[in-house]
Amino acid sequence: MEAMGILSEALLSADAKDREFEAAVREHGGHVYRVAQAVLRNHHDAEDAVQETFMRFLRQQRHWAEIRNPRAWLARTVWRVALDRRRQFVPVSLEDAAGAVETLRAAGASAEQVAVHAQTLALVERLISSLPRELRDPLTLSTVEELTSAEIGEVLGVPEGSVRERVSRARTILSEKLASLMEKSRGR
Amino acid sequence: MDDKEKRFVDELLRASLRHYASAEPRPGLEGRVLAGVRSRQQAASRRTAWAWAIGMAATAAMVMLFVIHWQRQQTPPTSVAAKATASDSAPAVAKIAPPARPTVPRRPQRSVGQPKVDTRPQQFPTPRPLSEQEKLLLVYAESLKASPADSAWKADQEPELEIPALSITAIKIEPLSSEESADDK
């Protein structure tokens, strides 16, 4: 009888763990995907990274109780998985991309309209990849809206204040580079 | 660059960064992730089951080998004669049974302490008794051996040579004349 009790308890526990895992996938799947997408810039690679991340999460089920913030834990894991899978971006000519942005602006498009354009995204991607790593990593993670500075700091292992300062510096550099490129393309 | 330009660049950058990671996953991401994780889990459990099965089979084989080896060491060696007497005394039913495999007589084991005895012959090649033909040849040779009568007959046949006593006369040499000696010069 006692053995049966232990067995049924174990089955119930396994069932509960299964449901807990499903709930975690449903709750954090999108967020994990966006972090992967921010790093990998590719839909298929991002989905693979999400699957690998949740596989690692499942392997850690004995330690779930010790994980205080599952969202931050998942963000840190997917960040590492994605970095391992990151490939070189397709090289884009900065001058050509800046010229396309300038053309759109001259045609009367708003900043928001220009931003969603593929050429603009390629240009921003290229500019971010040219940043030094200590600035690039916090800026990349800051583009994922759900992540706070504290969580970014937890993922990267740096203090929250440093994250804010690095993101600010990275934005300033990007802004200067973008302005310079656009000015050049206007002068041509 | 004027303020308007600067403002546009700032807005553009803010909007671009907002769109940078705003890509939404295709519908059904959760289902795909769950299905993928489960299939990977099943594959892992299959691998584990195989590893266990192979391990158990290997262990069972090792145990069987050990038992067989141990049994062989325990059973005393039975001789053919002992088996024969056993089969004679066994009831008739037992005789119908297939004959047991004859045991190969074991080589006598050499004891470590026993001194070695040199069995080699003193002479090589080993002398053998004469064959029949050799004996006949020997008899014939014996018959040919000279008898005392034969030797007397041989003496008669070869008469002794008479050698007369030798006498050697002294050599006379005349002295040389003076003329002959001058000619020689």
Side-chain angles (χ1 to χ4, degrees):
Chain A
M1 282 299 283
E2 199 176 322
M4 286 293 286
I6 291 168
L7 188 67
S8 64
E9 207 170 284
L11 284 171
L12 273 173
S13 165
D15 197 41
K17 291 262 181 191
D18 238 28
R19 270 186 276 118
E20 201 175 333
F21 177 70
E22 262 192 56
V25 171
R26 292 193 195 289
E27 191 180 347
H28 304 296
H31 162 67
V32 172
Y33 174 86
R34 276 186 285 281
V35 176
Q37 174 70 17
V39 182
L40 295 166
R41 315 298 303 155
N42 176 294
H43 166 73
H44 294 288
D45 291 348
E47 271 208 10
D48 285 349
V50 172
Q51 205 160 82
E52 175 64 32
T53 304
F54 279 108
M55 195 70 208
R56 290 187 187 186
F57 183 63
L58 190 64
R59 281 193 211 120
Q60 293 289 319
Q61 60 179 317
R62 284 183 192 169
H63 308 285
W64 280 355
E66 298 159 26
I67 298 171
R68 282 178 294 117
N69 184 355
R71 209 168 70 126
W73 190 95
L74 287 166
R76 193 168 58 240
T77 308
V78 74
W79 172 254
R80 286 175 190 162
V81 170
L83 283 183
D84 285 346
R85 290 165 180 244
R86 184 152 68 173
R87 301 173 195 164
Q88 284 289 323
F89 295 129
V90 180
V92 180
S93 166
L94 286 175
E95 286 76 20
D96 290 352
V101 169
E102 191 54 43
T103 310
L104 284 167
R105 195 194 160 199
S110 67
E112 192 69 32
Q113 285 168 328
V114 175
V116 293
H117 203 268
Q119 287 276 31
T120 314
L121 283 175
L123 176 65
V124 172
E125 212 173 275
R126 177 82 196 275
L127 289 175
I128 290 175
S129 69
S130 70
L131 289 171
R133 192 174 175 178
E134 62 165 14
L135 300 181
R136 186 179 65 220
D137 288 352
L139 182 74
T140 306
L141 284 169
S142 73
T143 60
V144 182
E145 279 180 7
E146 300 100 318
L147 281 176
T148 61
S149 298
E151 284 171 337
I152 293 170
E154 205 175 315
V155 170
L156 298 176
V158 290
E160 190 184 339
S162 299
V163 171
R164 285 205 191 115
E165 189 252 321
R166 288 179 194 186
V167 170
S168 169
R169 264 170 60 202
R171 277 176 177 259
T172 308
I173 292 169
L174 280 187
S175 178
E176 282 168 5
K177 280 189 176 180
L178 195 59
S180 161
L181 278 168
M182 286 179 68
E183 208 168 326
K184 265 186 199 171
S185 66
R186 227 182 358 261
R188 274 198 297 185
Chain B
M1 182 184 275
D2 57 7
D3 281 353
K4 196 181 168 191
E5 290 289 325
K6 204 173 178 185
R7 210 178 313 119
F8 179 79
V9 169
D10 284 344
E11 275 176 27
L12 178 63
L13 185 63
R14 204 175 305 121
S16 300
L17 290 176
R18 203 168 50 245
H19 286 291
Y20 193 74
S22 67
E24 283 300 313
R26 286 187 304 176
L29 172 78
E30 291 83 3
R32 284 196 298 279
V33 168
L34 284 170
V37 166
R38 275 176 191 146
S39 76
R40 281 169 76 170
Q41 244 187 330
Q42 280 171 359
S45 63
R46 267 200 300 275
R47 274 199 300 275
T48 314
W50 270 106
W52 269 101
I54 290 166
M56 293 291 280
T59 312
M62 280 173 69
V63 168
M64 277 177 69
L65 280 173
F66 175 75
V67 167
I68 290 166
H69 181 70
W70 183 74
Q71 276 183 346
R72 275 190 185 171
Q73 279 191 336
Q74 290 298 309
T75 49
T78 52
S79 66
V80 179
K83 278 199 173 175
T85 50
S87 63
D88 285 346
S89 60
V93 181
K95 280 182 183 174
I96 298 165
R101 203 172 61 182
T103 53
V104 180
R106 284 190 178 181
R107 241 187 234 179
Q109 287 184 345
R110 194 182 288 171
S111 62
V112 180
Q114 198 175 348
K116 283 183 181 177
V117 179
D118 193 1
T119 54
R120 289 180 296 178
Q122 291 294 322
Q123 190 185 345
F124 183 80
T126 315
R128 280 196 233 159
L130 294 171
S131 68
E132 204 60 34
Q133 287 180 340
E134 283 169 341
K135 279 176 189 171
L136 285 170
L137 184 65
L138 199 66
V139 169
Y140 177 69
E142 286 293 324
S143 69
L144 285 180
K145 267 189 185 171
S147 59
D150 288 340
S151 55
W153 178 77
K154 274 185 183 173
D156 289 344
Q157 292 295 313
E158 293 171 7
E160 281 184 12
L161 291 170
E162 284 182 7
I163 301 163
L166 291 171
S167 62
I168 301 164
T169 53
I171 300 168
K172 289 176 183 175
I173 303 167
E174 288 179 5
L176 290 171
S177 64
S178 59
E179 284 177 1
E180 285 171 343
S181 60
D183 286 344
D184 286 345
K185 286 178 184 177

